[in-house]
Amino acid sequence: MLHFYKTPAVLKNISKSLIWNVLSNEKTIYLTFDDGPVPYLTEYIIETLNKYNAHATFFCVGDNIKKYPEVFKKAIEHGHGIGNHTFNHLKGWSSQNDKYMENIHKCQKIIEQNHTKVKKAIFRPPYGQITPRQIQLLKESYNLIMWDVLAYDFDKSHTAEKSLKKIIKATNSGSIVVFHDNYKAEKKLKYMLPKFLEHFKGLGFDFKNLMQCKFK
Ligand SMILES: [Zn+2]
């Protein structure tokens, strides 16, 4: 299996409507966590971010918000951003457009029941799968957030040590980095996240919530 810790430029150029990096001259990194909220693991992440005075963005699965509203509220209370990751973690390429849209709106509804409504919500497609037509249907209502750096925290073919080295090398100012608050990723994430924060804090970087960004 090929690992793309750093998203290749050729992929980033496919669609101008997708956001892969934040254009920034500041030493800022945008951490994101997909698939939660889930008990213990999301809470562990929030506590770890707190220790480093770091903010991040959680791309939530609507069904998990429904199951674990208290965990979801904790992320909001600590000033983290909330993004939409569909209600049931659907694959864009194999979903019918109307079903896909419906599932995303269902997730957005549950987010907005617990969170202040924002002018333009943020969405990340599960597995990074999204068709040109789906982009067209979504881009008016959502900023479509992809990533610059993937932690491979869910992947057992690379050790946590190796993955950490790779993502440290791949990350720079304005990088959007993906981890997962998903139990499959728990072991590697718990090794990698504190060390990643420690490394970049030591270099004078800040970690911010994506919702504070102005996208075009
Ligand atoms: Zn996901």
Side-chain angles (χ1 to χ4, degrees), residues 92-142:
W93 296 345
S94 50
S95 298
Q96 284 181 339
N97 289 337
D98 53 343
K99 293 248 165 66
Y100 193 60
M101 296 307 131
E102 204 180 291
N103 202 269
I104 291 164
H105 295 317
K106 191 174 171 192
C107 179
Q108 197 56 34
K109 239 174 135 180
I110 193 165
I111 289 174
E112 285 169 13
Q113 280 167 13
N114 295 278
H115 196 26
T116 7
K117 197 168 161 27
V118 288
K119 236 190 222 156
K120 199 165 181 183
I122 53 177
F123 173 73
R124 174 177 285 153
Y127 312 96
Q129 289 192 6
I130 190 162
T131 66
R133 177 65 186 145
Q134 289 162 355
I135 291 174
Q136 220 180 17
L137 290 168
L138 288 166
K139 70 179 186 189
E140 292 309 316
S141 316
Y142 297 91

Side-chain angles (χ1 to χ4, degrees), residues 34-35 85 89 126-127 180:
D34 288 5
D35 303 351
H85 199 48
H89 208 254
Y127 312 96
H180 293 81

Side-chain angles (χ1 to χ4, degrees), residues 125-211:
Y127 312 96
Q129 289 192 6
I130 190 162
T131 66
R133 177 65 186 145
Q134 289 162 355
I135 291 174
Q136 220 180 17
L137 290 168
L138 288 166
K139 70 179 186 189
E140 292 309 316
S141 316
Y142 297 91
N143 282 311
L144 306 174
I145 312 287
M146 304 300 272
W147 58 85
D148 178 40
V149 179
L150 176 58
Y152 284 99
D153 47 356
F154 53 85
D155 179 288
K156 294 192 169 60
S157 68
H158 283 181
T159 63
E161 290 84 349
K162 178 169 181 172
S163 294
L164 176 68
K165 257 188 215 152
K166 293 273 193 185
I167 61 167
I168 284 177
K169 201 175 155 215
T171 301
N172 40 41
S173 292
S175 284
I176 299 173
V177 183
V178 191
F179 283 91
H180 293 81
D181 45 347
N182 176 325
Y183 297 123
K184 271 191 281 185
E186 179 167 8
K187 205 168 159 224
K188 279 183 79 172
L189 178 138
K190 284 185 170 172
Y191 175 87
M192 293 169 73
L193 181 63
K195 290 188 170 63
F196 185 88
L197 287 159
E198 186 77 42
H199 177 86
F200 283 102
K201 273 283 170 184
L203 294 175
F205 278 82
D206 271 331
F207 292 86
K208 290 188 185 164
N209 167 351
L210 268 175
M211 295 181 98

